[in-house]
Amino acid sequence: MFYFAYGSNLHHFQMKRRCKDSIFIKKMNLKDFRLTFRSKYRAADIEPKKNSIVPGGLFEISKSDEKKLDVYEDYPILYKKYYFLYEGKKVMTYTMTKKTPFRFPTERYLNVIKHGYKDCKLNIKYLEKALIE
């Protein structure tokens, strides 16, 4: 199956630790969504917003990887699954179930995300924009 990663799951080493069968396919943009940070964990989340994009990574993952991600993402308590089509293929990602106000991420978590942006060759300006909105 295909998985759209954003936030800390962009970090290739960390993604491999979480999902041993995962294969990074390519960078991609999720249109009409924006990146934000929320919850007591200050974790990355995405939410619908017209004319915005969330840069991320498209990964192929196995069913066992999906189960591990479900545990990591605290599905279905903290995150729920969101499906969309990309180039005719069904892609899964996670969104938070409860939309809470913006909470600036910890420095450690933010550094993991920045590393993931480099791994996926994403434009850091979108991350910077999410941190000031």
Side-chain angles (χ1 to χ4, degrees), residues 31-128:
K31 295 179 181 173
D32 295 325
F33 277 82
R34 77 176 183 126
L35 177 67
T36 189
F37 297 86
R38 56 172 45 112
S39 86
K40 66 181 180 181
Y41 307 107
R42 305 177 197 187
D45 186 26
I46 56 173
E47 62 186 5
K49 185 173 183 195
K50 287 283 185 199
N51 302 318
S52 292
I53 63 167
V54 175
L58 182 65
F59 287 81
E60 187 171 351
I61 63 172
S62 66
K63 262 309 203 195
S64 65
D65 285 342
E66 180 185 13
K67 289 178 181 176
K68 289 175 187 166
L69 275 177
D70 286 351
V71 171
Y72 175 77
E73 301 294 352
D74 198 14
Y75 167 81
I77 307 302
L78 184 61
Y79 285 89
K80 63 183 178 180
K81 293 182 183 181
Y82 174 79
Y83 296 91
F84 62 94
L85 290 178
Y86 179 75
E87 296 181 353
K89 297 186 189 305
K90 186 177 176 182
V91 180
M92 184 273 293
T93 194
Y94 294 94
T95 63
M96 283 193 178
T97 56
K98 185 177 178 188
K99 301 299 184 189
T100 60
F102 175 86
R103 303 264 329 258
F104 202 87
T106 64
E107 186 175 343
R108 182 189 163 286
Y109 183 66
L110 188 54
N111 285 337
V112 169
I113 296 170
K114 286 178 181 178
H115 193 284
Y117 267 66
K118 288 178 187 169
D119 286 349
C120 296
K121 297 179 176 41
L122 299 173
N123 190 332
I124 199 81
K125 78 175 186 177
Y126 292 99
L127 175 60
E128 292 166 348

Side-chain angles (χ1 to χ4, degrees), residues 1-10 15 18-19 22-23 25-26 28 56-61 66 69 72-73 82 84 90-94:
M1 77 179 293
F2 291 103
Y3 167 64
F4 175 75
Y6 62 92
S8 63
N9 287 343
L10 293 170
M15 186 62 177
R18 291 177 185 157
C19 302
S22 66
I23 300 168
I25 305 294
K26 65 182 200 173
M28 65 173 283
L58 182 65
F59 287 81
E60 187 171 351
I61 63 172
E66 180 185 13
L69 275 177
Y72 175 77
E73 301 294 352
Y82 174 79
F84 62 94
K90 186 177 176 182
V91 180
M92 184 273 293
T93 194
Y94 294 94

